[in-house]
Every structure is written in C-alpha cells, then in structure tokens.
Amino acid sequence: VTENGGCGGSCREYRSPLVSRYASKEMAYNFSDKKKFTTWRKLWIYLAKAEKALGLPVTEAQVAEMESHAEDIDFAMAAEEESKLRHDVMAHVHTFAHCCPTAAPIIHLGATSCYVGDNTDLIMLRDGFDILLPKLARVIDRLSNFAEKYAGLPTLGFTHYQPAQLTTVGKRACLWLQDLAMDMRNLQRAREDLRFRGVKGTTGTQASFLQLFQGDHDKVEDLDRMVTEMAGFKKAYMVTGQTYSRKVDIDSLSPLASMGATIHKICTDIRLLANLKEIEEPFEKEQIGSSAMPYKRNPMRCERCCSLARHLIALLADPLQTASVQWLERTLDDSANRRISLPESFLTADIILSTLQNITEGLVVYPKVIERHIHHELPFMATENIIMAMVKAGGNRQDCHEKIRVLSQQAATVVKQEGGDNDLLARVQADPYFAPILGHLDNILDPKTFIGRAPQQVARFLSEEVRPLLEPYKAEIHVKIELEL
C-alpha cells in the first residue's frame, strides 16, 4: 500500500486467496519459490557430494563453493535466463553456476531436469504432510475433549433430518471423530509410502550415471542410495520413467480430498445444529453476522470450511486425469497442471484444518435449547416404553397400542395443524386407562433412559482408538490457532 492509500502494484494483478487470505505461513513457504529453488541447489550439492565420495572428479572446493551459495538465489537473473532459454531448470543451473564458477563444470552432472523437479516435489509433499498431521491431531484432540465433556448430554438424533431416537452430544461428536481418525491413518500411510525418485537419468535407466562410473553398477546403486539418504528418505522408487509414477500424486491427494469430505460433513452438521440453536461455532464480541440483519450469528467459519472443502475434493480429479494420460516414459502435459493441483491441495487442507481447530476450540452448546427440543419430541418416542410399562402392570399390549395410536394422532394434529405444543403426555395422564403407570411416568420419560450405551461408547472409543492416535503429536498438541477472519 502506498502512502496516499493506493495499492501499489498488488491490487492490479490476481493473487491466489489461498495464500494472500488464508494459508499458514509454514504451508505457504513449503510451496514457495524460495523453498523450491533452494531445494534444487541442495539436491545438486547432494549429487556432487555423492559423486565425489564415489570417485568422480569433484573437488572439496567445488562442493564448499556450492554450499556457500545454497541460499543466495538471484531470482532476477534466473528469470532473465529462463526468458532466453525457455527452460526453468537450465536457467537455474546457469544462475547457480554464475555464483559458483569453480563448481560450474560439475553442477547437474549426469542428471536430468526431473532429478531436481520431481525430487523437490516429493520433498514438498513429505514436508506438507508433516505440517498437516500435527494440525489434524490438534483438531482430533479438541473434538475429543468436547466429546468427553458432553458424553452424557442427551440430544435428539436425526435420521433423514427428522427427529429420531435420542443420542448424546458427545456420541455425535464421536461420529465426526471416527472419520477424522480414518483421515489421520490415511495421511500417515500416504506420508510413509512416499519414496524418493532418486538418481535415475533421462528415461529412468540410469544410463548417464553408468557411463560416468564406467559400467560400475554398484557405484550407480550406491549413488542413488546416498542421495536418497541425504534427502531424508529411507527408500527410492526402484523403477521410474523420466518422472516418478504420477499415481504417487493420486495417493497423496486422495487422502486430502477424503479429509475434505469429512470436514464438509462435520461443518454441515454444525451449521444445521446452529440453525436449531443447539450448538454454535465461536462468535467474536465485535463480529458482524449480517450487514442488513444485526441480530444474525452466521456460521461463517463452518461455511468457509465447506466452501474450501469442495475445492479440495474437486482437485483430486487433476492427478487422476494426469496419471491416466502420461505417455510411455513421460509427457510434459503433467507439468502445468501439477504446479497448481499439488500446492493448492495442501494449502486448502491446511486452511480448513486451521479453521476447524478454531471452531472446535470454541464450540458453544446450549443444553436448555436441546432439552426443549427433546421434550417436544420425547412423548412420541416414549410410546413404546409406555406400552411396555402398561403390559408389566397387567395391561393388554394390543389395547394399549390402540390407545396410544389414537392419542398420538390427536397430539400430532395439535402440533402440525394448530401450531401448538405436543400434549400427548397430558392426554395420557388424563386417560383413566393409564392410571396404573402414572406414578412412573417421570422415570419412563427421563431422557437418560433413551440414550442406550452412548456414554460408555464414547469413553471406550476415546480411550482405545482416539487417544493412542495422538501419542506421536503430544509435543505439538497444545498449540492454539489465531485465526484471521
């Protein structure tokens, strides 16, 4: 912004709101040019070190020179070189060589563009998962605390979005938690399954390196292993074309899209419950819900999550189609698509996890509203219990069923056609037929007798499945999110 309030150049060109408006600094940096191109230089250093160790004519001075310039990238020079060469990797080779004249002859020795391009993408995917997993753990932790706190609070269940048998607020949260726990395992598996492309040459045969090492296959394999280990990977893909298989991108983005579906469902549920005024997301003291209706408390955080989750789900189509159209050893029609789909998937996942953490840290429950809704529906739900109590008191099941049927329809007419309250209970109390059980009606209608084993299910689920899942992230679990609205 300029001194007179202008925007400078920033408002005259499109900027992705994923970065400018939403994403965390660590995830934005993970897919930044700075991270990308410094990683390229580190990969060239790893390659030179390994080649030197295995006997190629690379000197300590050359390696030291490269290491001393790993971070100071002249982006203007790189852009100028790329405009001339029309090749981003060679542009950065020339830029690196300019500040490393001694090392210039051995930079990128034996490698192909995908040595830096694909291996950097795999590093970014790995590091992206390492950013997301603790954030997902924090969401699960906050929601677990919520489920534990409300494990025994009865609430109306809904099937087809119609009132159904009672559950508890905590048990419903465990439905959300179960999906998030599946997402956690899926993300962990995708992260652990990632391998390094390694040192494979132009079509994956390692022919250039076999020539450099004069036919010594063992040294070529040692080179691949050494560079893989320097990059922090346990394994490299044993076979590749020019690129690593683009199915790896599917396997990486698929659990993110699946998590997007989970979060969309959770936030949709919260939005529905907010409409009933049973549960609300946090609402800031000076937050405005509507420019026209000052009383409104719109669930904007949940709406943001749903909006971005749809984008995250849709992005999965990109790697599916890209993998399907890669010809033979490789075609370049993957490149432009992957520049968008890979970063955007991780950036979007990062945003919705941060937002959901903020939501789950401040969920507000209104027990009195929940109680009122239960009392409105419970007389209908209690009819079977009333019948059973009458039978135990010596009544005839069929006679009692008919009595309840008639009274229920009368009460339903009052509710639906007259807009009145459910007066079924009053009708039962007024009917002499039910005199044998009138003293037990309070017990029969206690909401806690309708929730089954929900509290016990919550306790066991949290203890056996959820808490152990969080153990690897204990050191990072208490970090709070300062969400910028």
Side-chain angles (χ1 to χ4, degrees):
V1 180
T2 60
E3 288 184 11
N4 62 1
C7 67
S10 63
C11 66
R12 300 180 185 277
E13 57 189 26
Y14 176 77
R15 295 182 299 155
S16 170
L18 291 176
V19 174
S20 65
R21 188 174 176 89
Y22 299 127
S24 67
K25 291 180 180 178
E26 63 265 30
M27 190 62 83
Y29 176 75
N30 188 55
F31 290 97
S32 68
D33 283 351
K34 178 70 173 177
K35 166 78 175 277
K36 176 180 178 178
F37 296 123
T38 54
T39 302
W40 283 14
R41 290 194 174 186
K42 288 175 184 177
L43 287 167
W44 284 320
I45 293 167
Y46 300 155
L47 182 62
K49 282 184 172 182
E51 289 174 337
K52 175 181 178 297
L54 292 168
L56 291 185
V58 177
T59 68
E60 190 65 46
Q62 289 173 317
V63 172
E65 185 181 53
M66 293 168 72
E67 288 180 324
S68 68
H69 293 284
E71 302 281 343
D72 56 341
I73 299 173
D74 187 336
F75 286 98
M77 177 182 287
E80 186 178 342
E81 288 289 328
E82 187 171 355
S83 69
K84 292 187 295 185
L85 303 174
R86 298 297 176 185
H87 196 289
D88 56 350
V89 173
M90 286 310 300
H92 277 269
V93 168
H94 287 191
T95 303
F96 197 16
H98 179 77
C99 59
C100 298
T102 303
I106 57 92
I107 293 174
H108 200 64
L109 181 60
T112 186
S113 297
C114 285
Y115 167 70
V116 288
D118 272 32
N119 282 324
T120 294
D121 287 342
L122 290 163
I123 289 170
M124 287 178 165
L125 294 179
R126 178 197 65 193
D127 294 351
F129 280 124
D130 287 343
I131 294 170
L132 293 179
L133 282 165
K135 294 191 175 189
L136 177 53
R138 290 197 286 270
V139 170
I140 292 173
D141 174 74
R142 307 311 190 263
L143 203 50
S144 298
N145 296 336
F146 178 85
E148 188 172 45
K149 180 177 180 180
Y150 295 103
L153 180 62
T155 188
L156 280 177
F158 288 91
T159 57
H160 314 274
Y161 200 45
Q162 302 301 313
Q165 189 175 37
L166 267 58
T167 182
T168 70
V169 172
K171 171 61 190 300
R172 176 178 286 142
C174 284
L175 300 181
W176 303 336
L177 277 166
Q178 180 165 248
D179 289 352
L180 289 169
M182 292 172 66
D183 294 322
M184 172 71 84
R185 288 189 286 268
N186 289 341
L187 262 65
Q188 289 173 332
R189 182 165 51 248
R191 194 260 186 242
E192 292 306 312
D193 283 350
L194 280 177
R195 298 187 185 187
F196 204 51
R197 178 192 176 273
V199 182
K200 297 295 193 298
T202 54
T203 58
T205 66
Q206 299 177 306
S208 59
F209 296 104
L210 189 62
Q211 185 176 359
L212 281 173
F213 287 108
Q214 299 179 335
D216 191 329
H217 291 268
D218 290 338
K219 285 192 174 182
V220 174
E221 291 201 2
D222 286 343
L223 180 73
D224 203 0
R225 175 185 54 78
M226 290 168 68
V227 172
T228 296
E229 290 174 355
M230 286 185 216
F233 284 81
K234 296 177 182 178
K235 292 182 178 180
Y237 296 107
M238 293 182 68
V239 294
T240 71
Q242 187 172 90
T243 69
Y244 67 78
S245 170
R246 293 312 183 215
K247 282 185 70 68
V248 174
D249 295 343
I250 297 173
D251 290 348
S252 296
L253 269 55
S254 180
L256 300 185
S258 181
M259 185 177 71
T262 295
I263 294 175
H264 198 297
K265 184 264 193 293
I266 292 171
C267 290
T268 300
D269 284 355
I270 295 172
R271 291 164 67 190
L272 292 170
L273 294 169
N275 174 258
L276 298 175
K277 296 180 173 60
E278 293 189 355
I279 290 179
E280 286 183 343
E281 66 177 40
F283 198 86
E284 307 299 328
K285 184 178 179 180
E286 297 184 6
Q287 184 177 331
I288 295 174
S290 167
S291 61
M293 295 166 280
Y295 59 86
K296 292 194 74 179
R297 293 169 65 98
N298 296 334
M300 54 83 64
R301 292 170 174 85
C302 287
E303 290 172 315
R304 175 190 293 180
C305 283
C306 289
S307 181
L308 291 169
R310 291 199 302 274
H311 180 57
L312 181 55
I313 293 166
L315 283 168
L316 181 57
D318 280 337
L320 287 167
Q321 295 189 55
T322 296
S324 71
V325 299
Q326 285 299 285
W327 300 350
L328 306 173
E329 278 66 49
R330 173 294 151 93
T331 49
L332 194 60
D333 59 345
D334 63 340
S335 179
N337 186 289
R338 294 174 70 253
R339 288 175 190 264
I340 299 168
S341 61
L342 297 187
E344 286 205 357
S345 291
F346 279 83
L347 288 163
T348 307
D350 177 72
I351 296 158
I352 60 176
L353 281 176
S354 296
T355 309
L356 186 57
Q357 179 182 335
N358 179 264
I359 293 167
T360 53
E361 285 178 347
L363 277 176
V364 182
V365 178
Y366 297 106
K368 291 297 183 182
V369 177
I370 293 172
E371 184 180 359
R372 185 172 75 244
H373 291 159
I374 289 174
H375 287 161
H376 187 71
E377 300 291 343
L378 193 59
F380 290 141
M381 298 178 188
T383 53
E384 185 175 5
N385 290 26
I386 293 172
I387 292 171
M388 294 301 102
M390 280 296 297
V391 171
K392 287 179 182 179
N396 179 288
R397 192 262 177 202
Q398 316 317 327
D399 293 342
C400 185
H401 184 279
E402 179 60 19
K403 284 276 188 182
I404 289 289
R405 186 188 69 81
V406 172
L407 295 179
S408 295
Q409 290 185 353
Q410 292 171 352
T413 298
V414 171
V415 171
K416 295 179 179 179
Q417 296 186 14
E418 300 175 16
D421 292 332
N422 187 338
D423 63 357
L424 176 59
L425 182 57
R427 293 174 186 274
V428 169
Q429 291 171 323
D431 193 321
Y433 176 82
F434 295 99
I437 64 165
L438 290 184
H440 305 292
L441 273 182
D442 286 345
N443 290 334
I444 293 171
L445 292 168
D446 182 358
K448 289 188 180 295
T449 66
F450 290 82
I451 60 176
R453 297 190 63 254
Q456 291 76 22
Q457 288 179 344
V458 171
R460 184 182 175 193
F461 175 65
L462 294 180
S463 173
E464 295 184 18
E465 291 202 25
V466 178
R467 299 298 186 197
L469 202 59
L470 301 179
E471 280 297 315
Y473 310 100
K474 286 178 69 173
E476 302 170 271
I477 209 77
H478 298 296
V479 176
K480 294 198 72 173
I481 290 292
E482 294 296 330
L483 188 67
E484 294 186 10
L485 299 179

